[in-house]
Amino acid sequence: MPQLKPQSYAQTTEAPASARYKGWIVAGKVGITLLTLGLLWHSVVADADTAAAWRGLLARTWQGQGRGPVLLALLLMPLNWGLEAWKWWYLARHLEPVSFGRSLRAVLVGLTLGFVTPNRVGDYAGRIMELKSRRLDALGAVFLGRYCQLVATVAAGTVGLLYFLLRFYVAGYPAAQLGLVALVLLLNALVLLPLYYSELLVAAVRAVKPLRRFSRFVAIMPTYPARLLTTVLLISGLRYAVFCLQFGVLLWAYGVQAPVGPALAAIAGTFLLKSLVPSLNALADVGVRELSATHLFGLLGQPVLPVLSASLSLWVLNIAVPSAIGLVFVLRLKVLGRWQKPGSAPAS
């Protein structure tokens, strides 16, 4: 019978990974907190336009004029991010068992980290670090959730911009109008196709040499069933409707009096143009959205100042305030976790 080797109980001098990196993790959290607070101060207080809009928002909340619409927009803020958490819950539980509370926390952490990163890439980091395992696969899940939201934005936004093109730019040219309608239908079909046939998207990523290194992260997308994708897409549409309603009631609170149909077209067009332009951080989104909103509502004969104030107030309610709330969860974030190889079997 072979002899068993004696087991050693001597303590090793090598510190565990969590202890070795603890100082860097704490420093990173403090840095993110200070950077977020600094950007919030710069955008909400130091910036003259946003500060004026914020004071106007508070004035309409405490006074009789516009109190109802502003309070409605404020009450819709948790519904907005609750729907985003619901969407992420559906996507994340395909990878591992996860509660709705953890999904909401992941969304708020991602919102805060995205506030200070180029093109909001911190949103990816915030969500995947809230998972206990399969974090690399989660990159594809986050992208899938963003893509579903983009599908809803493109579907409504192209129709909104089509209204302005037909009314103000190609009026009296039936052939051009018919071509634009066909182009909108084709564009929406092309955007929707990769959602249900994500194998095509994965193959396209693998075919392009500079993108080939990302193929292992999006390989998880074809494992999502069509029924789940449809549910996530419907939630994205509902969240988009909440966005539009918030913008609409804030425009009402600031005195914009455009007809409902054209106003909805302008709102949809504004959201689409903002989504198509990459940004350095959340502050850059402000300029793109305001420029788009003032131009489209200007075509409807609306003054610039109320539209600008409503758009800036929308940003404060949906981005600045939740980003500040997310700081609480950033400080409690567990950065280290299991980074499993992408493409392993889903947990659900």
Side-chain angles (χ1 to χ4, degrees):
M1 181 176 180
Q3 293 184 350
L4 298 176
K5 296 179 66 176
Q7 188 173 1
S8 174
Y9 292 93
Q11 292 185 352
T12 177
T13 58
E14 183 180 0
S18 58
R20 291 201 308 269
Y21 296 111
K22 185 176 181 180
W24 291 105
I25 293 171
V26 172
K29 291 180 179 180
V30 173
I32 290 172
T33 301
L34 295 177
L35 183 58
T36 303
L37 291 174
L39 288 174
L40 285 171
W41 173 267
H42 172 75
S43 59
V44 179
V45 180
D47 183 83
D49 291 334
T50 312
W54 183 237
R55 289 194 298 269
L57 183 68
L58 293 177
R60 282 165 172 75
T61 303
W62 295 111
Q63 298 174 3
Q65 182 183 6
R67 178 185 300 175
V70 169
L71 289 177
L72 177 58
L74 181 62
L75 291 175
L76 288 172
M77 180 188 69
L79 176 60
N80 175 19
W81 291 108
L83 288 171
E84 180 62 21
W86 188 22
K87 185 173 68 175
W88 176 240
W89 177 68
Y90 269 99
L91 293 168
R93 70 176 185 169
H94 184 72
L95 305 176
E96 68 174 51
V98 59
S99 65
F100 179 80
R102 277 179 58 202
S103 299
L104 179 60
R105 186 173 62 192
V107 167
L108 292 174
V109 169
L111 179 64
T112 302
L113 296 181
F115 186 81
V116 296
T117 52
N119 208 25
R120 304 190 63 79
V121 295
D123 183 42
Y124 287 80
R127 298 195 190 201
I128 65 176
M129 284 190 293
E130 280 289 347
L131 295 179
K132 296 179 179 178
S133 62
R134 304 191 64 194
R135 290 179 168 182
L136 293 178
D137 280 334
L139 289 171
V142 178
F143 175 79
L144 190 56
R146 279 191 165 194
Y147 193 81
C148 286
Q149 198 64 53
L150 179 64
V151 170
T153 303
V154 170
T158 50
V159 174
L161 291 180
L162 180 63
Y163 167 81
F164 285 94
L165 291 172
L166 296 181
R167 178 177 174 182
F168 296 101
Y169 295 98
V170 295
Y173 298 94
Q177 292 177 337
L178 183 61
L180 285 173
V181 172
L183 181 62
V184 166
L185 294 175
L186 177 62
L187 178 62
N188 279 278
L190 292 176
V191 170
L192 186 62
L193 185 65
L195 182 61
Y196 289 97
Y197 296 93
S198 52
E199 297 90 350
L200 300 176
L201 181 61
V202 176
V205 171
R206 288 173 178 168
V208 180
K209 191 173 181 179
L211 301 178
R212 198 170 296 164
R213 57 180 176 172
F214 299 109
S215 61
R216 57 177 181 162
F217 303 126
V218 297
I220 190 66
M221 293 173 59
T223 68
Y224 282 87
R227 178 181 297 180
L228 191 151
L229 293 176
T230 301
T231 300
V232 173
L233 187 59
L234 290 174
I235 296 174
S236 300
L238 184 58
R239 181 169 178 250
Y240 183 86
V242 172
F243 261 124
C244 292
L245 182 57
Q246 282 182 299
F247 200 4
V249 297
L250 286 173
L251 289 166
W252 179 23
Y254 280 101
V256 176
Q257 298 179 351
V260 175
L264 287 176
I267 291 172
T270 297
F271 288 154
L272 176 60
L273 293 175
K274 193 273 297 182
S275 299
L276 296 179
V277 178
S279 59
L280 296 178
N281 52 46
L283 297 181
D285 286 346
V286 177
V288 175
R289 181 169 51 243
E290 274 56 78
L291 181 63
S292 305
T294 53
H295 174 70
L296 293 177
F297 278 97
L299 292 175
L300 300 178
Q302 300 301 311
V304 171
L305 186 58
V307 176
L308 182 65
S309 299
S311 185
L312 289 170
S313 298
L314 180 70
W315 180 86
V316 170
L317 287 180
N318 280 336
I319 302 297
V321 173
S323 294
I325 296 173
L327 282 174
V328 177
F329 301 105
V330 168
L331 295 174
R332 299 168 55 189
L333 185 63
K334 294 181 179 180
V335 177
L336 298 177
R338 298 174 60 192
W339 295 79
Q340 292 184 346
K341 183 179 178 180
S344 53
S348 59

